[in-house]
Amino acid sequence: MQNHKSEITLKDYFTLHFVVLIYGFTAILGQLTTIHTLGLVFFRTFLATAGFFIYFKIRGISVNIDSKGKWQLLATGGIIIALHWFTFFYSAKVSTVAISLAGISTTSLWTSLIEPFLNKKRIKPVEVMLGGVVVFGLYLIFLFEFNHIWGLALGIASAITGAIFSVLNGQFAKRYSPQIITFYEMSGVAITTIIPVLYLFFFGDSTIKVIPEGWDWLWIAILAFVCTVYAYSKSVDLVRIFSAFTFTLTINLEPVYGIMLAYSIFGEKERMTSGFYLGTLVILGSVLIYPLLRKTNV
């Protein structure tokens, strides 16, 4: 798939990596919160939706779009993105930030299979080959971190759903602005998750906490306004510039940024075996080699 514009500037690459750095920080923020994952996802998206609504009102921007597009965006958010974020944050909760990020870095493998199918393009051998490299790296992680298999499985599930909505957003970006896309998708997530959150609040175990308290509000506010309103809408904009595969392959750098940040914050809790780091390096190697292979038009 060709880039959406002929010239990709250094600023575009810098912005892309800055967004990836922010994404690497999201799992850490999720780990810092003390509420149930469903509550985290709901309040994050509710605040993000409210933030966008206020922004649109101040700027006098209309959120009205065609009915078909509205329902497509709401469904994408309410089903695919809701599952993506729930599995991502829950993965970190049941294992570690590093394991969660290792799982999410397989997104490029799933994108190499999903993007050609949804966009009716031929599957490129180089992308499938690099996807195989990702699988090998994942295999190494499984060998050495088998006690974290549940967390890694959830991370992979998050990667699959992430690949789907990245490709879909590439299509939506041809019709709507990044802010409009994000507004409706975040609304869809909030609508979907409010029902189970209310159920847990009124009928769930009293030990299950779904309402933020104290520092939770700060972490969720950063998730909502920095990691969602800014980073998410910016990522939709970047999909217009880069192919979905190029974008998600660069997202594989998320574990590098995230693991370094997590270790600096959580210390020994985030220390993994040498096998984990070997597998992660194999996965991330695909990021470095892809631009060179792409020039050969393999």
Side-chain angles (χ1 to χ4, degrees):
M1 182 175 176
Q2 298 297 317
N3 292 327
H4 297 294
K5 74 176 189 179
S6 57
E7 292 269 345
I8 299 179
T9 66
L10 185 62
K11 181 182 177 182
D12 294 329
Y13 281 106
F14 176 81
T15 303
L16 177 57
H17 282 270
F18 182 61
V19 167
V20 175
L21 177 64
I22 293 174
Y23 283 161
F25 198 59
T26 57
I28 295 171
L29 291 168
Q31 195 81 316
L32 289 171
T33 60
T34 61
I35 64 173
H36 190 277
T37 306
L38 282 169
L40 171 61
V41 174
F42 167 72
F43 281 101
R44 174 189 183 177
T45 53
F46 175 77
L47 289 177
T49 302
F52 268 115
F53 184 78
I54 294 171
Y55 169 79
F56 291 144
K57 282 294 183 181
I58 293 173
R59 298 294 299 272
I61 300 174
S62 173
V63 297
N64 290 326
I65 59 174
D66 59 287
S67 180
K68 179 182 178 181
K70 185 183 297 183
W71 285 110
Q72 286 177 333
L73 292 173
L74 286 172
T76 299
I79 300 172
I80 302 172
I81 298 177
L83 285 172
H84 168 70
W85 277 344
F86 176 79
T87 51
F88 177 62
F89 285 120
Y90 197 54
S91 172
K93 292 281 189 183
V94 301
S95 56
T96 68
V97 171
I99 288 292
S100 178
L101 292 172
I104 201 71
S105 68
T106 64
T107 304
S108 59
L109 166 64
W110 310 113
T111 305
S112 69
L113 302 174
I114 294 169
E115 184 179 20
F117 175 76
L118 292 181
N119 291 334
K120 296 180 174 59
K121 303 285 185 178
R122 71 179 182 88
I123 296 177
K124 295 182 178 180
V126 65
E127 297 181 355
V128 176
M129 180 186 72
L130 290 177
V133 173
V134 171
V135 171
F136 176 67
L138 198 60
Y139 171 72
L140 292 176
I141 295 174
F142 265 116
L143 284 180
F144 291 92
E145 299 292 344
F146 194 76
N147 57 315
H148 289 299
I149 189 171
W150 178 230
L152 190 57
L154 285 168
I156 294 172
S158 182
I160 295 173
T161 50
I164 294 172
F165 84 74
S166 290
V167 176
L168 291 176
N169 279 349
Q171 298 176 350
F172 294 143
K174 298 174 183 177
R175 293 184 283 161
Y176 313 110
S177 72
Q179 291 79 15
I180 290 294
I181 293 172
T182 309
F183 172 74
Y184 278 105
E185 289 183 342
M186 295 306 98
S187 298
V189 178
I191 292 169
T192 300
T193 53
I194 191 173
I195 296 174
V197 166
L198 288 174
Y199 176 83
L200 288 175
F201 180 73
F202 288 107
F203 305 107
D205 191 313
S206 59
T207 61
I208 299 177
K209 178 182 171 185
V210 292
I211 305 298
E213 296 177 356
W215 285 99
D216 288 337
W217 285 111
L218 175 61
W219 310 137
I220 292 174
I222 296 173
L223 276 170
F225 301 120
V226 178
C227 303
T228 305
V229 174
Y230 170 76
Y232 190 83
S233 61
K234 182 59 68 173
S235 70
V236 174
D237 195 31
L238 288 168
V239 172
R240 289 175 168 177
I241 302 170
F242 302 94
S243 71
F245 184 79
T246 302
F247 176 78
T248 53
L249 196 61
T250 307
I251 290 293
N252 283 341
L253 287 172
E254 184 179 339
V256 174
Y257 301 137
I259 290 170
M260 289 190 299
L261 289 169
Y263 187 77
S264 67
I265 294 172
F266 299 118
E268 289 299 314
K269 180 183 177 183
E270 289 295 326
R271 182 183 290 276
M272 311 301 292
T273 63
S274 58
F276 168 82
Y277 295 110
L278 177 61
T280 302
L281 283 174
V282 168
I283 294 173
L284 297 175
S286 63
V287 177
L288 301 177
I289 198 173
Y290 174 67
L292 299 176
L293 294 177
R294 190 173 182 274
K295 289 181 179 179
T296 66
N297 294 315
V298 178

